[in-house]
Amino acid sequence: MTAKRGLIKNLKRDRMLLLIVLPGVIYFAVFCYGPMYGILMAFKDYNISKGIWGSPWAGLKHFRELVNSVYFGRLVKNTFLLSVEQLIWSFPIPIMFALLLNEIKNRHLQRFAQTAAYLPHFVSVVVVVGILKDLLSSNGGVLTQFFSLFGVAPRNYFNMPEAFRTLYVGSGVWQEFGWNSIIYVAAISAIDQQLYESAALDGAGRWKQLIHITLPSIAPTIILLLILNMGNMLNIGYEKVILMYNPATYSTADIFSTYVYRKGLLSAQYSFASAVGLANSVINVIILVGVNFIAKKTTETSIF
């Protein structure tokens, strides 16, 4: 009875905070946790007329079909390589940009640089891919003409399998590095300025301050975001890939999400597409737990 009264008292005391949190809770409940019952489709032969509950069970049939598919090896290889290359470039560049911003002492110049770097984030992916195609057009593209000055013959880069990952990752880094640097800029701004003043009095220059104060101070933030990025490695959206790829680049561009799009939406094989998506999510969870365990043991920083 006492515990119940304490709970009611706490609810009354924090009612405004709970009211602020309520929209977020409702959003995740409705759009994230509610639809999770749909994973049953991966274990059924889904029929639209019968619905999820009325469709017959298929067990692991669709998972076996995925593993035995002629495309399975290509999907795993392409998804993994694209994820790793994206992580290698897209994770450290925002950190370096935030550190460089911190070294700009002119506030007006710093704000201008921040704004210029943030703007591409708000540009549609469709527009970004369109710009990239215009720049690399074999017939009058600006970058194509620039490359020709160095003896590089005009070519259609979007039909070159070996160029796909570079184009995908490079355009993604350009579009998102400024936006992704926001959290690092915030972490740097929270560092006690007296640490820098004390270091300067001891004769430490900007480089030593960066190495011994700035980086150690934001290291927990870097580790946490690295864990989250690793846990999201294989969740590459199909939208940009579909805008960029074509049958000529399937050998390097075809990934799990595009395969799900083709099999699930175009071929209406909803159960098979659900199985592919579920397998992808399970792999991500395993990576997340593993990286979190390693980070906890080596740095004592983890998300759980």
Side-chain angles (χ1 to χ4, degrees), residues 84-100:
V84 170
E85 190 168 333
Q86 184 172 250
L87 183 67
I88 289 173
W89 290 102
S90 65
F91 184 75
I93 287 179
I95 300 173
M96 291 187 286
F97 179 69
L99 295 173
L100 290 173

Side-chain angles (χ1 to χ4, degrees), residues 23-40:
V25 173
I26 294 175
Y27 170 83
F28 283 104
V30 173
F31 295 104
C32 296
Y33 291 100
M36 284 183 68
Y37 79 94
I39 64 175
L40 290 175

Side-chain angles (χ1 to χ4, degrees), residues 284-304:
N284 276 328
V285 170
I286 293 173
I287 294 174
L288 175 64
V289 173
V291 173
N292 184 78
F293 176 79
I294 295 172
K296 190 173 183 178
K297 290 294 184 181
T298 56
T299 66
E300 297 185 356
T301 300
S302 62
I303 57 175
F304 54 82

